[in-house]
Amino acid sequence: MKKVVVAIDGPAAAGKSTIAKKVALIKGYTYIDTGAMYRAFTWYCLQKNVDCQDEKACVALIPEVKIELKPNNIVLCNNIDVTTAIRQTDVSGNVSYIASYKDIRLALVDLQRAMAKNTSVVMDGRDIGTNVIKDAELKIRLRVSADVRVTLASAIT
């Protein structure tokens, strides 16, 4: 079977993750939740008592952080299941700082590209098709209303 990469781009709250998860499930592809990766890095910074507004201190942690995405949307950070923890308020309140740091973005983009190298994936994010996986077989730019998202989600189930 040919490896396929599906890139779904769009703004926050456009329904990227909902659509990406369903497509991955239907097609049997791996879903790569790029947002969860930034959240996992944020969680790690908080666990190390590093101020997420301190770019230098956060970037220094890059060599220590190992993020893995497992089936059923399980997120591991250094072999710890952080799937629930990365959705907590403290992580949500700090993830934008982590996502703004160029060196962390580059490290996570490298990881995302490596994940997509050998297997069929559906990856969503704000610049997946334009930056992370420029040569994706299918690129979708999702900009739809809530009503259309509900209709799309129900149509592909």
Side-chain angles (χ1 to χ4, degrees):
M1 182 169 108
K2 181 182 182 247
K3 178 186 80 70
V4 176
V5 175
V6 178
I8 302 177
D9 284 308
K16 298 179 304 288
S17 296
T18 301
I19 299 301
K21 287 176 191 175
K22 289 188 180 272
V23 169
L25 181 65
I26 290 167
K27 298 300 289 179
Y29 297 171
T30 300
Y31 169 57
I32 299 179
D33 183 350
T34 61
M37 297 171 78
Y38 287 95
R39 287 175 167 276
F41 200 104
T42 303
W43 174 87
Y44 187 76
C45 291
L46 294 170
Q47 294 303 300
K48 298 294 270 186
N49 293 313
V50 170
D51 180 356
C52 290
Q53 294 183 52
D54 183 343
E55 180 174 0
K56 187 174 180 179
C58 293
V59 167
L61 296 177
I62 291 171
E64 298 178 25
V65 179
K66 180 184 176 196
I67 298 169
E68 297 175 86
L69 302 178
K70 298 293 187 180
N72 299 317
N73 303 314
I74 302 298
V75 181
L76 301 180
C77 184
N78 295 350
N79 297 315
I80 299 169
D81 183 344
V82 297
T83 308
T84 302
I86 63 172
R87 304 295 173 187
Q88 300 300 316
T89 305
D90 58 342
V91 172
S92 295
N94 285 287
V95 70
S96 63
Y97 300 115
I98 300 305
S100 73
Y101 301 145
K102 180 181 178 184
D103 290 336
I104 293 173
R105 283 195 324 272
L106 291 173
L108 293 181
V109 165
D110 284 346
L111 179 56
Q112 293 157 11
R113 288 178 178 147
M115 291 173 154
K117 191 170 188 163
N118 298 313
T119 188
S120 293
V121 301
V122 179
M123 191 180 305
D124 71 270
R126 293 198 181 118
D127 61 352
I128 300 304
T130 56
N131 180 41
V132 179
I133 309 290
K134 294 178 184 178
D135 60 348
E137 285 77 10
L138 176 61
K139 295 181 185 182
I140 299 168
R141 174 76 177 154
L142 197 59
R143 286 187 287 170
V144 296
S145 69
D147 292 342
V148 172
R149 287 196 312 265
V150 169
T151 301
L152 283 171
S154 61
I156 61 173
T157 55

